[in-house]
Amino acid sequence: MISVIIPAYNAGAYIKAALLSVFRQNVEIGFEILVCDDGSVDDTHQVVDEMSQKHPAIKLFRHAENLGTSAARNLLLEKLDVNSNYVIFLDADDILANGAIEKSLAVLRANPLARFVTGMYQVVPTKALETGEPVSPEWPTVGGAMLSAGMFKTDLIREVGCFDTSFDHGEDADFRLRIAEITNAFVFHDYIFFYYRRHANNVTRDFMASQSGIRRAMLLHAMRRRKNPALLGAAGMVRAEDMAEIERALKLYE
């Protein structure tokens, strides 16, 4: 079974497209979609609840107040089906590329020692995703360290544990670094795994806060390794060829 984890806060305008992108995947094994409505004040809960009536694979949970992305993901990790084999982290405003799961699953099966695979993502203006226009190669395509571009074996995710709720920004980087401390048994692939929806409310638009969160995650990683030299480092998380595209993607938010 594949478990797709989606935290959602005021995502009523986007989450239906995210859910439909999961149902478009061509996979032969079962999947569950775990959604946490993290105290939304829009129609997020109603949109997901309506879809869950038609699609039993959707399991909807709710926080009475907004507790943050980490707390929402932690709740969903607690709810993983006992038969879950793989975990995917999808944000409520992003979209899985067609064939993303099928291709990633094939790479994992071809590399049985790998504990996860990570692919590419493309930064796409929200208008293009809403109108269905062809995705332009001019928009940045980035690979490497982003958590949502990966497909992880569930036993690895359980070994890593919870997201750190003390992070307002950079919780993904912290979790990904904690994965790196445990294993370097992973495979890059060049398939686009998901489309990162660029819109006015992206968390990453708060560039300074995002960078501060990432720096804190890296500092904590260094401190853990200093305390326990047996932990692995983060070398290889980002490929050299991806750096130019990462810089180009960041400029979209300037």
Side-chain angles (χ1 to χ4, degrees):
M1 173 177 282
I2 298 168
S3 300
V4 182
I5 287 181
I6 306 178
Y9 176 65
N10 291 346
Y14 307 124
I15 194 166
K16 184 174 183 179
L19 293 168
L20 289 174
S21 76
V22 180
F23 287 110
R24 283 197 297 270
Q25 302 299 307
N26 181 25
V27 290
E28 79 282 7
I29 63 176
F31 62 87
E32 60 177 355
I33 307 173
L34 306 178
V35 180
C36 178
D37 174 13
D38 187 32
S40 298
V41 295
D42 68 351
D43 63 345
T44 296
H45 190 270
Q46 291 89 335
V47 171
V48 180
D49 183 59
E50 182 178 330
M51 289 195 69
S52 70
Q53 305 305 314
K54 303 174 183 177
H55 303 284
I58 299 174
K59 301 174 184 178
L60 176 60
F61 306 91
R62 192 175 195 180
H63 284 154
E65 58 183 314
N66 179 232
L67 300 179
T69 301
S70 292
R73 285 185 176 140
N74 287 342
L75 171 64
L76 298 179
L77 288 175
E78 292 176 1
K79 303 296 183 180
L80 287 177
D81 191 283
V82 294
N83 296 312
S84 175
N85 303 108
Y86 307 98
V87 172
I88 293 168
F89 297 98
L90 179 65
D91 287 344
D93 54 352
D94 294 334
I95 292 179
L96 285 180
N98 290 341
I101 295 179
E102 178 184 14
K103 292 170 183 176
S104 296
L105 191 58
V107 174
L108 267 175
R109 288 173 171 171
N111 297 272
L113 296 181
R115 302 191 73 182
F116 69 96
V117 295
T118 186
M120 315 291 288
Y121 68 95
Q122 190 166 19
V123 181
V124 180
T126 189
K127 181 181 178 181
L129 293 176
E130 291 164 358
T131 60
E133 67 182 82
V135 176
S136 170
E138 295 301 315
W139 298 325
T141 301
V142 184
M146 195 160 185
L147 185 68
S148 296
M151 182 170 174
F152 304 86
K153 290 185 176 177
T154 304
D155 62 347
L156 172 61
I157 296 303
R158 288 187 169 129
E159 186 177 350
V160 176
C162 296
F163 284 80
D164 186 340
T165 56
S166 69
F167 278 85
D168 291 324
H169 295 79
E171 74 285 338
D172 287 13
D174 175 71
F175 196 83
R176 180 65 179 81
L177 285 165
R178 285 158 52 208
I179 290 174
E181 292 167 8
I182 292 173
T183 183
N184 55 14
F186 70 96
V187 179
F188 279 112
H189 64 65
D190 291 324
Y191 306 119
I192 293 177
F193 194 79
F194 78 98
Y195 297 114
Y196 183 96
R197 184 191 293 270
R198 181 176 174 241
H199 59 85
N201 297 319
N202 286 133
V203 172
T204 47
R205 281 187 179 274
D206 191 343
F207 182 77
M208 295 300 293
S210 295
Q211 290 302 298
S212 177
I214 291 171
R215 285 194 296 270
R216 179 178 174 229
M218 294 175 67
L219 176 61
L220 291 174
H221 169 62
M223 292 171 64
R224 289 191 296 267
R225 292 195 70 212
R226 190 176 300 117
K227 184 177 181 180
N228 181 5
L231 296 178
L232 301 175
M237 278 180 53
V238 180
R239 299 177 294 187
E241 60 266 32
D242 292 321
M243 290 308 299
E245 284 293 272
I246 290 174
E247 292 176 4
R248 193 160 75 92
L250 289 174
K251 287 180 179 179
L252 293 176
Y253 298 101
E254 292 179 350

